[in-house]
Amino acid sequence: MRHRFLAAAAFALGGIAASAAALAGPTVDKIRARGELVCGVSQGSAGLSLPDSNGRWSGLDVDYCKALAAAVLGAADKVRFVPVSSAQRFAVLQNGEIDVLSRNTTWTSTRDASLGVSFVGTIFYDGQAFMVPKKLGVTSAKQLGGATVCVQPGTVNEQNLVDYFSANGMKFKSVVIESLPELESAFYAGRCDVYLSDASTLSASRASRAGKVEDFAILPERITKSPLSPVVRADDAQWFAVARWTLNLLIEAEELGVTSANVEAQKQSKNPSVQRLLGVSPGIGKAFGLDESWGARVIASVGNYGEIFDRNLGPATKLGLERGQNALWNKGGLLYSPPFQ
């Protein structure tokens, strides 16, 4: 009798688990009904998210949203990009105007605990820095006492600016401008001496808006750790899982040597990890409410993390960034995916 009860209970629980695994969550259902993913991006940051003259967006943050669209909708181009300011980004996500925020946003304890959002995982390791005109003759942030600093409101940068100057016994005057394009215009027009932001943002700005790149210097100090992460609402565990593991997929694909060029050939690989990643061995799709080939489709659409980095930020681009901390863990960096099992 006891054995029959346990068997029946196990069967029932197994059926419930299988049904739950096969179901998509409310966010995925809404995205599929709409036929497009709505992705919040910056108002323009080369290498991360920037539209061209025809309104086509490109960048690391953009490619992440394309990867999500490929996973959920089957096509990387089914994305509507919504530029949002630093001050409005969380409100826009919270009220459901966007499905995911992929906008150079720093993962912090207060944001994680108090905003009703979930940080997906670090997509780019950055740090805040100062950019100045070379004509000022400044070579270190310790020489910035009395400077006028351009900064956006509602950012971690603003608080870190106060902390850094206070810790070093210096005073400053801030010029607070919400719109990033307006802030950059103010800096290059000479309204402020210093532009404070993540080093990647400064590099992108200098490459695309400075006129003469050689006229501006990014000072060597990095005053913070800035792990940048996509963000989703904290009310849908299944959507959070899809968002997190799409990022992990891009990293794992690079480690396994799976690229947009060889993904089809890699389906013949004898490596069990590659077989699972590409859906040859079934298992990683159903738990997310996705088909088994979603991983292969994502990689075919946007490439692995290394391809995305090189295309948008790497040495061959105007930004010319080295991988540094954004290299894989086995190549001296910090990027690491949990196992796909």
Side-chain angles (χ1 to χ4, degrees):
M1 189 72 179
R2 181 173 178 270
H3 291 304
R4 286 199 299 272
F5 173 79
L6 291 175
F11 179 82
L13 289 173
I16 292 170
S19 297
L23 293 174
T27 304
V28 172
D29 286 341
K30 183 168 66 174
I31 292 168
R32 286 174 174 166
R34 188 195 301 131
E36 65 178 3
L37 173 77
V38 183
C39 175
V41 291
S42 76
Q43 294 168 308
S45 181
L48 297 176
S49 52
L50 186 70
D52 64 15
S53 58
N54 295 313
R56 291 188 295 263
W57 288 83
S58 64
L60 176 72
D61 292 337
V62 168
D63 281 344
Y64 170 72
C65 285
K66 289 180 177 179
L68 276 180
V72 173
L73 295 171
D77 61 352
K78 293 184 177 180
V79 187
R80 175 160 52 93
F81 295 102
V82 178
V84 293
S85 71
S86 58
Q88 71 181 156
R89 56 186 159 178
F90 291 113
V92 170
L93 177 64
Q94 290 161 340
N95 66 26
E97 292 181 49
I98 59 176
D99 302 311
V100 58
L101 177 67
S102 186
R103 184 206 181 281
N104 52 311
T105 298
T106 303
W107 187 355
T108 72
S109 59
T110 300
R111 289 171 172 177
D112 207 6
S114 64
L115 296 179
V117 300
S118 295
F119 286 79
V120 169
T122 301
I123 193 170
F124 188 84
Y125 289 94
D126 210 344
Q128 284 156 26
F130 300 97
M131 182 162 66
V132 298
K134 285 186 178 179
K135 65 182 181 182
L136 292 183
V138 173
T139 58
S140 168
K142 299 290 180 63
Q143 300 172 300
L144 293 177
T148 300
V149 185
C150 279
V151 66
Q152 287 183 284
T155 63
V156 176
N157 299 356
E158 190 176 22
Q159 182 59 55
N160 290 334
L161 174 65
V162 174
D163 292 347
Y164 182 80
F165 274 76
S166 176
N168 287 280
M170 300 187 298
K171 294 184 179 180
F172 71 96
K173 180 180 179 182
S174 61
V175 176
V176 180
I177 303 173
E178 180 173 335
S179 166
L180 180 59
E182 290 178 13
L183 184 150
E184 291 181 332
S185 295
F187 171 70
Y188 293 118
R191 284 182 55 195
C192 45
D193 306 312
V194 183
Y195 177 9
L196 170 67
S197 192
D198 291 330
S200 62
T201 300
L202 297 179
S203 297
S205 176
R206 183 174 62 175
S208 61
R209 304 200 64 184
K212 292 184 178 180
V213 173
E214 62 272 17
D215 287 346
F216 297 89
I218 298 174
L219 300 180
E221 291 87 351
R222 299 295 180 267
I223 67 171
T224 64
K225 293 178 291 185
S226 294
L228 306 184
S229 171
V231 193
V232 296
R233 288 181 298 280
D235 59 358
D236 187 340
Q238 191 263 357
W239 176 232
F240 172 68
V242 171
R244 165 168 282 185
W245 284 90
T246 297
L247 174 57
N248 288 338
L249 177 97
L250 300 174
I251 297 168
E252 182 77 349
E254 181 181 8
E255 183 172 341
L256 293 174
V258 182
T259 70
S260 57
N262 70 16
V263 62
E264 287 302 316
Q266 287 279 25
K267 290 180 180 179
Q268 308 304 316
S269 171
K270 302 302 182 183
N271 185 333
S273 295
V274 174
Q275 292 178 342
R276 282 192 294 270
L277 195 74
L278 301 183
V280 177
S281 297
I284 71 165
K286 191 175 183 180
F288 297 111
L290 303 174
D291 61 283
E292 295 296 346
S293 62
W294 71 277
R297 187 167 61 246
V298 166
I299 299 164
S301 298
V302 300
N304 63 37
Y305 183 91
E307 290 179 273
I308 293 171
F309 185 97
D310 289 344
R311 180 166 62 241
N312 295 296
L313 299 161
T317 69
K318 288 183 178 180
L319 275 69
L321 299 183
E322 300 293 336
R323 289 290 292 270
Q325 293 176 314
N326 295 293
L328 295 176
W329 68 280
N330 56 5
K331 294 185 178 179
L334 299 176
L335 290 184
Y336 183 105
S337 171
F340 279 78
Q341 290 181 337

